[in-house]
Amino acid sequence: MAATVASSLQIMAARPCLSFSPGVVKAGAAILCSNPKTVLWPKLTNSCNISSLNPFRHGFRSSTVKFSKVVTKAMSESNENRPVSGLPIDLKGKRAFIAGVADDNGYGWAIAKSLAAAGAEILVGTWVPALNIFETSLRRGKFNESRLLPDGSLMEITKVYPLDAVFDNLDDVPEDIKTNKRYAGSSKWTVQEVAESVKQDFGSIDILVHSLANGPEVSKPLLETSRKGYLAALSASSYSYVSLLKHFLPLMNPGGSSISLTYIASERIIPGYGGGMSSAKAALESDTRVLAFEAGRKHKIRVNAISAGPLRSRAAKAIGFIDMMIEYSKANAPLQKELSADEVGNTAAFLASPLASAITGASHI
């Protein structure tokens, strides 16, 4: 999961979890432009201080990108009948709310699996327009293969809540969204309303995960980004985390943990990653440090971010050159391996566990 400066072309993509414009990926952590023509290898070379891309070019095939189903596998031991050695991750009796799960691919789902494998109860928040498809797929068993845990059982999601984290409360919702047919049949999906529903249903949680982002003008260079598009990216991708923690913090038990997903564009120039999204990720990481101080002092809650790498999710189809990015990362990363979603999930499980009881305010690369 670690990456050097040379491997700064890392991306994370997941299914939509927030409202968006056509052609824009709402990532579990980050989004890239869907037009590979806008990314020139000379620019990539210059931005990463790499003199040669020959090792990468040697291993990259320019054939049509093929996407295959990715089965994320949580690796945390959860079988109570097996002897445990070392320092196990034990989250039994803990409850997690994961904002930004809309299918069985992506980091949000992988984190849910790892937390479940460690014994945590799972609640998820799903972007309202994707809610019906997600719940139907769960009910019909389409996710059963990827729900499989190490002990042979299937991950159980106790409850799925409709959520649009762009809106703090009902007063923030414009009329065109209220009357949008994609929102018909759902209610209480603003951040404040979801937090109130979780409190009413379960009383408290121990783990809060922010796995969503959106940039309506992500395909535009920063110089061509409008004020509206720039602010929308920050609202959906960084302030949404502030809002979630603000409203869920009173529900969180002392000693709990909150985790968000960020991206290396917060500190490196990534050609093709526009629309203010790099600024949004930089804000998210800055907010992580401030929130860690405030939430730690007031509620004894730890706040961390995970900066992961490229993942072949379904939403990566919109990126257009996900295979290229993965090969680039493999060629330049220290471990020279393709990142799997369960590795990010297991990192989250560690950060949420008592083993990380003194770790807060950090972005983990």
Side-chain angles (χ1 to χ4, degrees), residues 53-265:
L53 289 174
N54 289 331
F56 167 73
R57 284 172 173 161
H58 178 72
F60 176 70
R61 297 188 299 273
S62 60
S63 58
T64 302
V65 178
K66 297 181 179 179
F67 292 87
S68 57
K69 180 178 178 65
V70 177
V71 178
T72 57
K73 297 180 179 179
M75 299 173 66
S76 303
E77 180 59 63
S78 63
N79 191 338
E80 295 180 353
N81 298 320
R82 293 185 60 181
V84 178
S85 60
L87 294 173
I89 294 179
D90 186 359
L91 297 176
K92 295 180 181 66
K94 305 297 183 181
R95 182 178 296 114
F97 181 88
I98 305 167
V101 179
D103 65 15
D104 63 339
N105 290 113
Y107 292 122
W109 179 271
I111 290 172
K113 278 193 64 178
S114 289
L115 296 178
E121 181 181 11
I122 305 299
L123 314 175
V124 304
T126 299
W127 185 53
V128 184
L131 181 66
N132 184 55
I133 295 176
F134 180 65
E135 290 187 315
T136 299
S137 297
L138 272 177
R139 186 170 59 253
R140 294 180 178 177
K142 291 184 177 181
F143 298 153
N144 282 358
E145 183 180 0
S146 55
R147 286 173 60 200
L148 190 64
L149 298 178
D151 64 358
S153 65
L154 295 180
M155 175 181 67
E156 295 293 337
I157 298 177
T158 302
K159 188 165 183 177
V160 179
Y161 292 87
L163 171 67
D164 194 327
V166 167
F167 306 107
D168 295 331
N169 52 61
L170 198 58
D171 292 335
D172 294 338
V173 183
E175 194 61 32
D176 62 324
I177 295 294
K178 292 179 180 179
T179 58
N180 191 307
K181 63 181 181 180
R182 295 187 298 172
Y183 287 74
S186 296
S187 61
K188 298 183 178 181
W189 41 260
T190 65
V191 176
Q192 179 181 337
E193 291 174 311
V194 173
E196 290 172 350
S197 295
V198 171
K199 181 178 181 180
Q200 181 177 355
D201 294 340
F202 299 97
S204 65
I205 64 171
D206 303 276
I207 303 163
L208 175 67
V209 179
H210 176 273
S211 178
L212 44 84
N214 179 40
E217 298 181 17
V218 67
S219 61
K220 294 183 179 181
L222 186 58
L223 281 173
E224 298 176 14
T225 301
S226 69
R227 181 185 298 270
K228 181 179 180 181
Y230 184 94
L231 295 177
L234 266 69
S235 173
S237 308
S238 52
Y239 186 77
S240 58
Y241 185 42
V242 177
S243 179
L244 277 169
L245 193 54
K246 172 184 177 181
H247 289 94
F248 275 87
L249 200 58
L251 283 66
M252 298 187 70
N253 295 315
S257 174
S258 182
I259 301 165
S260 66
L261 292 168
T262 185
Y263 173 45
I264 203 170

Side-chain angles (χ1 to χ4, degrees), residues 1 262 303-308 347 350-351 359-365:
M1 184 171 64
T262 185
V303 181
N304 289 286
I306 300 174
S307 181
T347 300
F350 163 73
L351 290 173
I359 299 176
T360 191
S363 296
H364 303 269
I365 300 176

